[in-house]
């Protein structure tokens, strides 16, 4: 069997929860040949892998959302140069449907990039694209500047069209780790390779995350926010429509997927899982260490809201000077934000915070008393589960599935494995830090609850079993092969 992962902005270029999940999935299926289509910003990131690629990951194909076909040529060009570029009537109609978000003919859109080497620059500057923009403008957006509207749509569709230029490798299953650009590539790949199947796995709800980012964004204003948001919704709907199976990490996320257009019969919950054995026998806190050690296993990026973490910890440490915070994760992914966090620590004159960089958490986790996560958005954080493997409770913001992991789902009566706090609330996060710092017995009891919860539901073997069932059932439906025969012939 051949499986092609399609991932946007993560593996194998960035360390993090989704990247770790992909890496563990590939390693967990040594009998399957994997490839990956990696959607990245531009060629400056090319081949800059931060993972040692498993032997069964046979190829990495790169897709650039900003590339020379558009970025280097879009300015200073005369429209006359592109006047010869025309689409057939059927393709013009499909393009208009895409821009109007009405009866979108994705098959024809995908076909546009299959048999012809279309220049994205020529397409976006062509009379066909201009006419489609004029149709959209006249129906809904006449209150805005047409020039601004035209260039906004060119900016919106450039990355989509660039991503559709790839010729996807042949695979039995295409597995997208988001909707968005990954989802439309996966949909196109499935359509081009008869018999193949498409799985969508959302660790966060892509459309909601992009919508939240755009609402806060300062680079796009007014009606243009709505246009960008609509774009991500239409791409996600495409992925849901073409997918055979759509997975989520927990029940509420599944409910959201259905609300956002995923057919209910396709939706399946597949919780995260970790390798508990990796953290057995790790070094523990020494008896002469009188500090209360707090661990944060995070990338130093805005989505993790490290500034709130720093401020809350500083406030708590003023009342309990034994507190010590270890931030375990890269501060290079967003260098500007990382520098701001380092400056904040210096401005606060806080000597109880240590930036550890990218480390093997097995060397640190056992020495922690509890973990801290102050994210603005999460799916089902692996860091919480890793803490549970070491019997460490977590203080986490009420995002994603943090509430369910810490307090248990409806059928779980084990108890509390930490404390859930509001997003960006320095005072309440600080109070929670002080509560756990001041009660060793509570920390130990919560750690035991977390460990039991992990063993009941979140072991990697449980996760792998679910995906094995998905992969081989889809293969059986496509080719009539049973699981044992497929494995024996690999």
């Amino acid at each position: 069997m051949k499986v092609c992962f399609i991932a946007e902005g993560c593996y194998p270029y960035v360390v993090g929860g989704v990247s770790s999940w992909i890496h563990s999935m590939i390693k967990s299926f040594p009998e399957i040949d994997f490839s990956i289509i990696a959607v990245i910003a531009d060629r400056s990131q090319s081949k800059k892998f931060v993972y040692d690629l498993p032997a069964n990951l046979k190829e990495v194909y790169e897709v650039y959302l900003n590339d020379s076909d558009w970025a280097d040529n879009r300015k200073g060009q005369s429209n006359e140069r592109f006047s010869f570029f025309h689409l057939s009537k059927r393709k013009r109609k499909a393009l208009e449907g895409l821009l109007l978000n009405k009866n979108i003919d994705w098959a024809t859109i995908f076909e546009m990039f299959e048999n012809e080497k279309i220049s994205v620059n020529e397409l976006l500057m062509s009379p066909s694209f201009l006419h489609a923009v004029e149709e959209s403008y006249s129906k809904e957006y006449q209150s805005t500047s047409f020039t601004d509207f035209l260039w906004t749509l060119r900016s919106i569709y450039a990355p989509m069209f660039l991503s559709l230029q790839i010729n996807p490798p042949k695979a039995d299953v295409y597995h997208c780790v988001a909707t968005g650009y990954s989802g439309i590539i996966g949909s196109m790949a499935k359509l081009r390779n008869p018999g193949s199947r498409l799985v969508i796995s959302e660790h966060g709800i892509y459309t909601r995350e992009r919508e939240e980012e755009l609402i806060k964004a300062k680079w796009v204003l007014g009606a243009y926010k709505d246009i960008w948001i609509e774009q991500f919704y239409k791409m996600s709907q495409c992925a849901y429509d073409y997918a055979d199976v759509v997975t989520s990490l927990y029940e509420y996320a599944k409910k959201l997927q259905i609300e956002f257009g995923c057919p209910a019969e396709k939706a399946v919950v597949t919780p995260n899982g970790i390798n508990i054995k990796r953290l057995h026998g790790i070094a523990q806190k020494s008896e002469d260490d009188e500090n209360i050690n707090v661990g944060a296993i995070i990338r130093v990026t805005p989505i993790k809201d490290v500034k709130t973490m720093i401020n809350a910890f500083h406030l708590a440490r003023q009342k309990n000077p034994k507190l010590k915070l270890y931030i375990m994760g890269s501060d290079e992914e967003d260098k500007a934000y990382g520098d701001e966090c380092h400056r904040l620590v210096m401005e606060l004159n806080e000597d109880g915070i240590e930036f550890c960089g990218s480390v093997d958490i097995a060397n640190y986790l056992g020495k922690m008393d509890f973990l801290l996560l102050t994210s603005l958005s999460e799916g089902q954080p692996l860091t919480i589960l890793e803490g549970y493997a070491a019997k460490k409770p977590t203080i986490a913001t009420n995002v994603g599935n943090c509430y369910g992991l810490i307090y248990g789902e409806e059928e779980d009566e084990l108890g509390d494995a930490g404390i859930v706090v509001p997003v960006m609330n320095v005072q309440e996060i600080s109070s929670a830090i002080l509560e756990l710092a001041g009660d060793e017995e509570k920390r130990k009891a919560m750690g035991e609850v977390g460990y039991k919860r992990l063993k009941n539901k979140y072991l990697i073997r449980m996760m792998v079993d679910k995906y094995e069932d998905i992969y081989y059932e889809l293969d059986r439906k496509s080719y009539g092969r049973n699981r044992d025969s497929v494995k024996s012939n690999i």
Side-chain angles (χ1 to χ4, degrees):
M1 180 186 291
K2 293 182 179 180
V3 175
C4 178
F5 270 117
I6 309 174
E8 180 182 334
C10 53
Y11 188 80
Y13 308 86
V14 177
V15 174
V18 176
S19 293
S20 297
W21 180 84
I22 297 173
H23 191 65
S24 68
M25 281 283 289
I26 294 171
K27 292 176 68 177
S28 296
F29 289 98
E31 78 279 9
I32 292 178
D33 284 346
F34 285 91
S35 58
I36 187 163
I37 299 174
V39 183
I40 55 179
D42 52 49
R43 292 177 187 267
S44 68
Q45 293 180 273
S46 181
K47 306 302 180 186
K48 294 181 179 178
F49 304 153
V50 297
Y51 283 85
D52 292 327
L53 304 185
N56 60 327
L57 177 54
K58 302 301 183 180
E59 192 68 60
V60 177
Y61 302 86
E62 295 182 332
V63 172
Y64 313 109
L65 295 180
N66 187 21
D67 206 13
S68 56
D69 184 38
W70 171 242
D72 293 347
N73 299 320
R74 60 181 169 177
K75 294 185 179 179
Q77 303 285 356
S78 168
N79 287 341
E80 294 179 6
R81 174 183 169 184
F82 307 105
S83 61
F84 70 89
F85 183 94
H86 289 283
L87 296 173
S88 68
K89 182 177 180 181
R90 179 172 60 88
K91 291 178 180 177
R92 286 201 310 273
K93 184 177 179 182
L95 186 61
E96 289 175 7
L98 179 64
L99 268 62
L100 292 168
N101 195 20
K102 185 177 180 180
N103 300 321
I104 301 176
D105 181 0
W106 283 106
T108 299
I109 296 296
F110 298 152
E111 182 189 330
M112 286 169 58
F113 295 88
E114 181 176 12
N115 300 320
E116 308 166 28
K117 291 295 182 183
I118 287 184
S119 162
V120 171
N121 198 47
E122 291 179 354
L123 174 58
L124 293 173
M125 299 295 287
S126 70
S128 296
F129 187 81
L130 178 62
H131 178 70
V133 173
E134 288 172 338
E135 285 290 308
S136 179
Y137 179 80
S138 66
K139 285 180 168 57
E140 295 187 49
Y141 297 101
Q142 293 188 53
S143 61
T144 64
S145 160
F146 179 75
T147 300
D148 289 345
F149 182 75
L150 171 62
W151 280 98
T152 294
L153 262 63
R154 283 172 173 160
S155 297
I156 285 174
Y157 284 97
M160 174 193 281
F161 292 158
L162 286 167
S163 66
L164 292 178
Q165 286 186 317
I166 188 172
N167 183 22
K170 291 187 180 300
D172 299 303
V173 176
Y174 295 95
H175 193 161
C176 301
V177 195
T179 53
Y181 299 108
S182 302
I184 62 165
I185 294 172
S187 301
M188 178 179 69
K190 177 186 175 182
L191 195 65
R192 287 191 189 175
N193 293 280
S196 64
R197 299 288 180 158
L198 179 62
V199 177
I200 306 290
S201 290
E202 291 195 275
H203 287 241
I205 305 302
Y206 186 91
T207 46
R208 169 168 280 190
E209 291 175 350
R210 300 293 82 76
E211 185 173 16
E212 290 173 352
E213 290 173 0
L214 285 162
I215 288 170
K216 297 172 186 175
K218 297 180 180 179
W219 57 269
V220 57
L221 301 173
Y224 300 114
K225 286 183 184 286
D226 296 333
I227 298 171
W228 271 102
I229 290 169
E230 182 183 79
Q231 175 74 350
F232 290 117
Y233 271 87
K234 73 176 71 168
M235 287 195 293
S236 290
Q237 188 62 60
C238 171
Y240 289 149
D241 289 343
Y242 276 91
D244 295 280
V245 176
V246 179
T247 77
S248 56
L249 295 174
Y250 52 101
E251 287 293 337
Y252 182 67
K254 173 183 171 181
K255 179 182 177 184
L256 287 177
Q257 288 173 329
I258 294 169
E259 288 179 3
F260 290 150
C262 175
E265 65 274 12
K266 297 181 180 182
V268 178
V269 174
T270 55
N272 270 333
I274 68 163
N275 182 0
I276 196 170
K277 294 180 181 178
R278 190 175 81 85
L279 296 171
H280 278 173
I282 58 177
Q284 298 295 313
K285 183 179 178 182
S286 63
E287 292 184 2
D288 59 353
D289 184 355
E290 296 182 353
N291 290 326
I292 306 297
N293 297 323
V294 184
I297 307 171
I298 54 171
R299 293 168 291 117
V300 182
T301 58
I303 198 69
K304 301 300 181 181
D305 198 12
V306 184
K307 291 181 181 179
T308 290
M309 177 182 291
I310 291 169
N311 282 315
F313 177 82
H314 175 69
L315 184 61
R317 192 164 182 264
Q318 289 178 315
K319 297 179 180 178
N320 188 337
K322 290 185 177 182
L323 282 162
K324 175 90 175 182
L325 174 62
Y326 295 87
I327 298 177
M328 296 170 268
S330 173
D331 54 6
E332 295 294 320
E333 182 177 332
D334 189 326
K335 193 67 169 61
Y337 185 78
D339 290 344
E340 290 172 12
C341 291
H342 281 274
R343 280 198 300 273
L344 176 58
V345 170
M346 288 188 290
E347 289 166 3
L348 293 172
N349 195 28
E350 178 55 73
D351 61 0
I353 297 177
E354 180 178 335
F355 289 90
C356 304
S358 296
V359 296
D360 183 350
I361 62 166
N363 296 328
Y364 285 78
L365 194 52
K367 301 171 187 177
M368 299 298 111
D369 290 287
F370 58 93
L371 301 185
L372 180 61
L373 186 67
T374 56
S375 300
L376 301 175
S377 179
E378 286 286 352
Q380 192 177 66
L382 291 173
T383 59
I384 295 180
L385 299 178
E386 288 167 337
Y388 289 172
K391 300 185 178 181
K392 309 298 178 183
T394 295
I395 296 169
T397 43
N398 192 11
V399 293
N401 194 219
C402 291
Y403 189 98
L405 290 180
I406 290 174
Y407 295 143
E409 306 291 352
E410 289 181 4
E411 72 280 6
D412 180 348
E413 298 180 354
L414 292 172
D416 299 349
I419 301 173
V420 176
V421 291
V423 171
M424 298 182 73
N425 192 315
V426 170
Q427 186 62 57
E428 290 209 32
I429 296 169
S430 178
S431 296
I433 292 171
L434 289 170
E435 180 179 340
L436 289 193
D439 195 333
E440 181 178 2
E441 290 305 313
K442 177 178 281 190
R443 295 197 302 267
K444 289 182 176 180
M446 287 180 165
E448 290 292 340
V449 169
Y451 186 72
K452 291 177 183 177
R453 183 164 291 139
L454 171 67
K455 292 187 70 176
N456 283 353
K457 191 172 181 180
Y458 301 105
L459 298 181
I460 191 167
R461 186 69 255 166
M462 299 173 182
M463 180 188 79
V464 170
D465 285 348
K466 285 180 178 286
Y467 277 104
E468 184 174 278
D469 288 342
I470 290 170
Y471 284 164
Y472 288 105
E473 177 62 16
L474 291 178
D475 186 83
R476 185 192 65 77
K477 287 180 178 178
S478 292
Y479 306 110
R481 302 180 296 200
N482 64 50
R483 184 175 310 194
D484 292 337
S485 68
V486 173
K487 287 186 174 183
S488 66
N489 287 319
I490 292 174

